Amino acid sequence: VSTIGDDDRGERIRREIERHGLCGTYVQTDPVHPTGYVTVMTDAEGQSFYTIHEQVAFDYIDVGEKTASKLADEDFDVFCFGTVEQRSSTTRRSLFRILETIQKRDHSTAVFCDLNLRQPYFSHEVIQDSLKYCDILKLNEEEAAVISDLIFPELNLANNCRNFCVCVSETYGLELVVITRGSDGCVVFGKNVFFEQ
């Protein structure tokens, strides 16, 4: 579910969708805005910095009630979303229309949220609203610290992965929390089982 521009990047995306046998039914074409893109710069230490360009097609994903209903009827195994696409009111409204419709249906579509916090594209409200619809949460250690400070400031959870996982799972009814740790592996928490790799 996205919107691409009527340009070379958009055409390449359409070709890749077809080449991989994916469903492109819910990918709209915007004749005004370019296909979204990110510029990545890497410093001498290997740290990457991202410029997520604005006023691009995915800022204008426009899903009405009828399309949201069709999406929910598809009964997908998983519906994935993040926070960057919520930076525009049009796409954010469409996303939550889809999530609300999925939630109202009685089927097994799991909602996977990869927070992927990028400044300035998140806020307390964006995070809270995202977690309300989430079944599976994926974030990295730095993002877990941000969530701890924003949502549970009184609990001082930033340095305790296990307690953070328990707290966020119980508060939002999550089935699974995955915290990536770069070269240090990850943490997985679900059904009161805490696993470190």
Side-chain angles (χ1 to χ4, degrees):
V1 181
S2 193
T3 299
I4 57 176
D6 187 12
D7 51 26
D8 289 342
R9 285 188 181 106
E11 187 52 43
R12 285 199 329 254
I13 289 170
R14 288 262 184 226
R15 284 196 304 268
E16 286 299 304
I17 288 171
E18 290 174 20
R19 187 170 77 83
H20 290 286
L22 301 173
C23 172
T25 303
Y26 301 106
V27 178
Q28 305 163 348
T29 300
D30 182 331
V32 177
H33 300 95
T35 299
Y37 63 104
V38 176
T39 301
V40 183
M41 302 291 286
T42 305
D43 66 16
E45 287 82 41
Q47 179 73 27
S48 295
F49 302 91
Y50 304 90
T51 301
I52 305 169
H53 299 280
E54 299 187 32
Q55 294 300 309
V56 295
F58 81 76
D59 290 321
Y60 297 93
I61 300 171
D62 193 8
V63 174
E65 297 289 343
K66 186 176 178 181
T67 301
S69 183
K70 283 171 61 176
L71 276 162
D73 287 342
E74 296 273 4
D75 197 15
F76 293 112
D77 293 328
V78 180
F79 181 85
C80 304
F81 75 100
T83 54
V84 174
E85 61 269 25
Q86 295 184 55
R87 68 186 183 181
S88 86
S89 59
T90 301
T91 299
R92 182 169 160 76
R93 184 173 48 251
S94 294
L95 171 64
F96 284 99
R97 181 173 287 136
I98 294 166
L99 290 170
E100 287 167 9
T101 306
I102 287 172
Q103 191 176 59
K104 287 177 188 171
R105 302 295 166 99
D106 186 27
H107 54 61
S108 59
T109 300
V111 177
F112 178 101
C113 179
D114 181 353
L115 280 183
N116 202 12
L117 302 180
R118 297 279 185 259
Q119 281 289 16
Y121 305 123
F122 71 91
S123 65
H124 187 274
E125 179 187 13
V126 164
I127 292 167
Q128 287 265 55
D129 289 349
S130 297
L131 293 175
K132 286 177 190 173
Y133 289 94
C134 180
D135 299 309
I136 303 165
L137 174 63
K138 184 265 177 198
L139 62 171
N140 63 36
E141 275 186 307
E142 294 82 16
E143 292 163 340
V146 170
I147 302 303
S148 294
D149 291 343
L150 274 176
I151 298 180
F152 309 111
E154 70 287 354
L155 299 179
N156 195 22
L157 300 171
N159 296 317
N160 190 321
C161 268
R162 182 185 297 263
N163 289 350
F164 170 79
C165 288
V166 170
C167 193
V168 76
S169 293
E170 288 178 356
T171 302
Y172 294 98
L174 305 179
E175 294 173 18
L176 194 67
V177 177
V178 178
I179 301 176
T180 58
R181 295 171 152 173
S183 61
D184 292 329
C186 69
V187 166
V188 179
F189 178 81
K191 298 181 178 155
N192 293 316
V193 175
F194 184 81
F195 177 77
E196 290 183 88
Q197 176 65 50

